[in-house]
Amino acid sequence: MERDVYEWLTAWKIEKNRKPLIVRGARQVGKTWLINHFGGNEFDQVIEINFEFQPQMKSCFASLDPNEIIQRIEVSLNVDVAPGNTLLFLDEIQECPEAIKALRYFYEKLPALHVIGAGSLLEFVMEAEDISFPVGRIQNMYLLPLSFGEFLCACGEQKLRHWLQSLSISQEIPEAIHTKCVRLLREYFYLGGMPETIATFLAAGNLHKTDELHQMLLQSYKNDFGKYGRHVNFRLLEKVFTKSPATVGSKFKYADIDRDVNARDISKPLNLLVKAHILFKVTAASGAGLPLAAHCNEKYFKILFLDVGLLQGAMGIARETYVSENLLAVYKGLVAEQFVGQQLLALGKHFAEPELYYWQREKRGSAAEVDYLWQKGEAIFPVEVKAGKTGTLKSLRVYLAEKRSPFGIRFSLHPLSFADGVLTIPLYAIEAMPRLISQVE
């Protein structure tokens, strides 16, 4: 399955001041496959060390000197490492904290060698071992589940994806294309973006194994908690993971996790899950200026789950979504809001920590909330996920009036249009949003 980030990786390869790369993301989002695929295409040789399957290779990193490390690897694996032609791939790097420490010295003493590390739950290890990342000496890349656009390509629908990406605001979407897009969107809502789930669906031609795969993936995350939870309450960590899907779309309340546990105690496992990119915080921002992070209130936030398919698997509502006539109404719009948030994260920069914001006004008698805020250039746009008519977008219009934003954005299944200060985009055309904003501006 081709990933959009591949092009970024090819640019990293030829960068003059290249740094060792850490590919970060939750388990099973496709990190190992992507790096091996990239290495096989772009290098003469890939030397892969998986510290989970080859624990004996940890001893090669007893020294932090990269020349000694390479010599030990060459002897241990009977290989020749050729800087410039070899990709050294350190998989499950969280199992070898010394390898994480050594990355800075590869940058300083052996910059010609291409080194990529990957792992899941890295933050759990850093917390447990009291290790800090070598700031300024490594490059991070963040990998998320497949976006809807990547899913279209995996299904062989490259033409459709490119057509949707190049939509014009004055363009009418033919009924045949709309119907096809809704069918594919319904499949993606159910499947989500986890590579194994999509690959199994494409191979079998049906959704029969989807629920089973989702449950296996969810259980694999829980199993990992036991490995790295030495400095955190394991049971509370599992409780946050289990209960957080039901909080998507609502302002997070610690009491929804456990009324009998102090908020401070819940915040530690919650923040670990956020750092591990299993959960994502959508932080309340005033929208008063840029950057959005400078005008946010971190006390107020919403939660997104890793993946829309896993979210429904955790809640047991996947089949309800698949048979629903109105995808935006399932579970009070929770699933559609998760989908849009997940796609907005995918539109972000591959090298930047994924982040999202929303707007809320806590005012007696006139409270208002907008699902997301999106920045393009120097403008901030309020984004709503709605099934209703444009005229019902009360909170969005409050934001437009107060912040003097150029216009608002609504995602729905209504036709593409711009009217009365609102750009309406079909859910399946979310990748066209940056282009459409430019056209309206």
Side-chain angles (χ1 to χ4, degrees):
M1 271 173 229
E2 295 297 328
R3 302 300 304 266
D4 293 345
V5 74
Y6 189 96
E7 185 178 349
W8 186 89
L9 285 170
T10 60
W12 169 82
K13 179 194 173 187
I14 61 174
E15 192 174 324
K16 202 169 187 179
N17 193 32
R18 182 189 60 255
K19 300 173 182 177
L21 180 66
I22 290 189
V23 180
R24 304 173 72 169
R27 185 175 289 281
Q28 300 295 325
V29 294
K31 299 185 294 296
T32 299
W33 180 90
L34 172 66
I35 298 164
N36 277 316
H37 178 61
F38 166 67
N41 288 343
E42 307 294 336
F43 292 86
D44 296 337
Q45 178 189 37
V46 179
I47 296 175
E48 179 182 1
I49 297 173
N50 186 310
F51 291 111
E52 195 167 78
F53 297 142
Q54 301 164 282
Q56 72 278 9
M57 296 302 294
K58 296 177 186 178
S59 61
C60 293
F61 292 83
S63 166
L64 295 179
D65 185 334
N67 292 299
E68 286 187 36
I69 292 170
I70 293 304
Q71 185 181 57
R72 292 172 183 178
I73 289 173
E74 288 179 324
V75 174
S76 298
L77 301 179
N78 191 27
V79 295
D80 292 318
V81 176
N85 298 314
T86 297
L87 173 64
L88 177 61
F89 174 25
L90 307 175
D91 202 7
E92 302 296 348
I93 196 171
Q94 77 280 353
E95 298 288 340
C96 183
E98 294 305 311
I100 298 173
K101 293 179 184 176
L103 290 178
R104 67 168 294 172
Y105 299 105
F106 276 96
Y107 170 72
E108 293 173 354
K109 297 187 176 183
L110 196 56
L113 180 64
H114 294 78
V115 183
I116 297 182
S120 53
L121 299 178
L122 278 169
E123 284 71 20
F124 282 64
V125 174
M126 311 313 282
E127 181 93 359
E129 303 292 338
D130 193 25
I131 299 170
S132 60
F133 281 109
V135 178
R137 298 293 185 270
I138 62 165
Q139 171 74 61
N140 287 309
M141 191 199 84
Y142 299 89
L143 191 65
L144 301 169
L146 272 76
S147 68
F148 180 63
E150 290 175 314
F151 168 69
L152 290 179
C153 289
C155 294
E157 296 287 353
Q158 289 89 347
K159 286 185 179 179
L160 176 60
R161 185 187 190 187
H162 295 151
W163 188 85
L164 290 171
Q165 287 175 328
S166 60
L167 277 174
S168 168
I169 191 63
S170 59
Q171 198 167 348
E172 182 177 339
I173 299 176
E175 181 63 27
I177 295 179
H178 173 78
T179 301
K180 180 180 184 177
C181 288
V182 172
R183 173 180 61 80
L184 289 163
L185 185 67
R186 190 180 300 277
E187 289 175 351
Y188 181 84
F189 265 41
Y190 192 1
L191 290 164
M194 302 303 283
E196 184 182 5
T197 307
I198 294 174
T200 303
F201 163 71
L202 294 174
N206 58 59
L207 299 161
H208 294 162
K209 294 281 288 182
T210 301
D211 292 343
E212 181 182 342
L213 286 170
H214 283 161
Q215 292 307 315
M216 289 172 59
L217 285 167
L218 290 166
Q219 188 58 51
S220 73
Y221 293 130
K222 292 181 181 179
N223 292 341
D224 276 343
F225 299 159
K227 294 181 186 177
Y228 308 121
R230 283 178 291 171
H231 294 271
V232 69
N233 185 319
F234 170 77
R235 294 187 184 279
L236 195 51
L237 181 65
E238 187 170 354
K239 184 174 285 189
V240 173
F241 175 78
T242 302
K243 291 197 172 185
S244 58
T247 71
V248 169
S250 304
K251 186 167 71 175
F252 186 85
K253 298 177 181 176
Y254 292 96
D256 291 338
I257 303 300
D258 194 323
R259 292 184 176 275
D260 299 323
V261 177
N262 189 288
R264 186 180 302 171
D265 294 329
I266 294 173
S267 68
K268 185 172 183 178
L270 172 67
N271 288 331
L272 276 175
L273 290 172
V274 170
K275 288 179 180 178
H277 305 110
I278 294 172
L279 302 179
F280 297 91
K281 280 186 177 181
V282 186
T283 311
S286 68
L290 297 174
L292 287 166
H295 302 273
C296 72
N297 186 342
E298 295 183 0
K299 290 198 310 183
Y300 302 109
F301 57 90
K302 299 188 290 185
I303 287 293
L304 286 181
F305 206 60
L306 167 64
D307 175 67
V308 66
L310 289 178
L311 170 82
Q312 295 171 95
M315 298 180 68
I317 61 172
R319 293 194 180 275
E320 177 189 346
T321 302
Y322 192 69
V323 301
S324 173
E325 291 185 7
N326 187 352
L327 289 175
L328 285 101
V330 176
Y331 214 84
K332 300 178 182 178
L334 174 154
V335 177
E337 188 169 335
Q338 164 74 33
F339 167 81
V340 170
Q342 191 171 328
Q343 304 313 303
L344 293 178
L345 287 171
L347 285 173
K349 296 180 176 68
H350 300 301
F351 55 84
E353 182 83 38
E355 58 182 27
L356 277 177
Y357 298 91
Y358 78 104
W359 179 72
Q360 70 169 13
R361 183 179 69 174
E362 298 286 354
K363 197 173 181 180
R364 183 173 294 181
S366 59
E369 180 178 308
V370 171
D371 294 331
Y372 299 106
L373 296 177
W374 181 257
Q375 177 188 347
K376 187 174 186 299
E378 297 180 359
I380 302 171
F381 299 90
V383 176
E384 283 276 62
V385 186
K386 293 292 183 184
K389 296 180 179 179
T390 305
T392 64
L393 300 172
K394 182 180 177 182
S395 292
L396 186 143
R397 297 202 175 281
V398 169
Y399 181 94
L400 291 175
E402 288 191 4
K403 307 299 180 183
R404 297 186 179 182
S405 181
F407 53 88
I409 299 169
R410 175 180 70 152
F411 286 106
S412 70
L413 288 177
H414 290 277
L416 175 65
S417 67
F418 178 70
D420 200 18
V422 177
L423 172 61
T424 297
I425 305 174
L427 284 170
Y428 52 74
I430 193 166
E431 286 189 329
M433 181 183 69
R435 174 185 172 90
L436 292 168
I437 289 174
S438 296
Q439 290 180 18
V440 174
E441 284 182 312

